[in-house]
Amino acid sequence: MVYVGALDAFSKAFSLVAENKRVYVLVLVAFIAVSLLSLLLPSQAGELPIKEHFSSNVIFEEYGTTHTSSTALIHDLKVSLLELFIAVVVLSLVEYSVVKAYFLSLEDEEYSLLELLTEAVPRIPAVIVVNILTYITALLVAAIPFVLLLVGAATLNLPIAFLGLLLFFAILPVILTFFVLVVPAYVETGSIGAFVEALGLTFRRLPSSFGYGVLIILLGFAVAIAMTPIILPLMMTTANPVIIDLAGAPFDAFLVCFLWAGGVLLYRDFKGIKGRKEEFLY
């Protein structure tokens, strides 16, 4: 059964996203910027001349210098790690700002995105740590049914294997709800231990958490179906992956905004907090 809290937060999240269009624009700009990172950080392969002669694991260039394949791989790895680091920092900055904007919006308070971004800068490390702790916690929770599945498969015990598989699919929506509650809990409390509070809220309101997670999965499928007519033709051509990412950015931005808005609403519902505007979001 999907409790009223889950349905209420899910339905009001659409209105909260629609009422804060500039927040959506901020997330969209962040997604576009992250997508363009690969163009700004060229790989070693892109720096090699067109005409090359290959011998063993060494690339001999026409003008006489050499680059080992291992050097190129190390360079590309460094570029990938740098790209990942920049993306994580940018998205953490935006995540805190957007979640705080939704909190303020529910209190019917005016806010400046520039001020929120400025406030978020010193909190970037904490947001990253909180998210890492959340991933570790989620993996530990998901490991329980996974271990049952492995034990059942190893011992050819079908009931145990089936139980593990059933628990895995049952726990997946709950874990998704846990993810959307963590940063709202951090923004509200300012404590890195907010992931513990979010985990407690998730399992104390287990039916609602499960129901909300199922709704998130359904929304994800709906967004994927909506973007298919745009993305699929590009994927069937030789289009640059960056172009594909840019084409999907508006859909990804909406989904992320919805998840953060819904997380704020669900967190407030689980905590019994009511904002001045919240009861009028329909």
Side-chain angles (χ1 to χ4, degrees):
M1 175 181 179
V2 181
Y3 277 23
V4 175
L7 288 172
D8 197 41
F10 189 82
S11 61
K12 289 180 178 179
F14 287 99
S15 298
L16 190 57
V17 172
E19 287 195 358
N20 294 271
K21 296 180 180 63
R22 51 183 171 155
V23 168
Y24 169 79
V25 173
L26 173 64
V27 176
L28 179 59
V29 169
F31 270 74
I32 292 174
V34 169
S35 297
L36 294 175
L37 276 177
S38 59
L39 298 179
L40 300 175
L41 301 172
S43 66
Q44 178 76 15
E47 298 173 355
L48 294 174
I50 297 175
K51 294 184 179 180
E52 300 162 339
H53 303 287
F54 295 84
S55 174
S56 183
N57 68 330
V58 181
I59 304 172
F60 293 91
E61 301 173 358
E62 269 197 354
Y63 49 82
T65 58
T66 63
H67 285 279
T68 62
S69 58
S70 60
T71 301
L73 288 175
I74 292 173
H75 177 84
D76 287 347
L77 178 60
K78 290 179 179 178
V79 170
S80 297
L81 290 176
L82 178 59
E83 184 178 343
L84 176 62
F85 173 76
I86 295 174
V88 168
V89 169
V90 170
L91 294 178
S92 298
L93 171 70
V94 172
E95 184 175 15
Y96 180 93
S97 303
V98 170
V99 169
K100 184 64 177 288
Y102 287 141
F103 269 114
L104 293 174
S105 177
L106 290 174
E107 294 296 335
D108 206 17
E109 295 183 15
E110 292 295 326
Y111 60 84
S112 164
L113 287 180
L114 181 59
E115 291 178 358
L116 291 179
L117 289 169
T118 303
E119 178 184 332
V121 170
R123 293 171 173 80
I124 291 175
V127 174
I128 294 174
V129 170
V130 166
N131 279 317
I132 291 174
L133 292 173
T134 301
Y135 279 107
I136 294 173
T137 305
L139 287 174
L140 291 175
V141 172
I144 298 173
F146 188 69
V147 168
L148 287 176
L149 181 59
L150 287 180
V151 170
T155 60
L156 299 180
N157 190 319
L158 292 181
I160 292 180
F162 180 75
L163 176 62
L165 186 63
L166 186 64
L167 284 177
F168 177 78
F169 284 109
I171 205 70
L172 182 60
V174 178
I175 291 175
L176 291 176
T177 300
F178 170 51
F179 276 122
V180 303
L181 288 176
V182 169
V183 174
Y186 168 72
V187 172
E188 183 74 3
T189 64
S191 169
I192 292 179
F195 79 98
V196 177
E197 180 193 19
L199 184 66
L201 289 173
T202 301
F203 281 91
R204 280 201 298 270
R205 301 287 294 272
L206 194 58
S208 288
S209 298
F210 175 81
Y212 191 78
V214 170
L215 292 174
I216 290 175
I217 293 172
L218 294 176
L219 179 64
F221 277 118
V223 171
I225 292 172
M227 66 191 296
T228 296
I230 297 174
I231 301 299
L232 188 59
L234 292 174
M235 295 180 65
M236 296 176 66
T237 65
T238 57
N240 190 306
V242 175
I243 301 300
I244 298 175
D245 289 341
L246 291 175
F251 299 93
D252 295 335
F254 164 75
L255 183 58
V256 167
C257 283
F258 183 92
L259 292 177
W260 291 342
V264 169
L265 287 161
L266 196 64
Y267 174 79
R268 292 171 65 92
D269 179 80
F270 283 1
K271 293 280 289 185
I273 303 171
K274 290 295 181 183
R276 284 177 285 177
K277 185 192 294 185
E278 196 165 351
E279 295 184 359
F280 303 99
L281 283 177
Y282 289 102

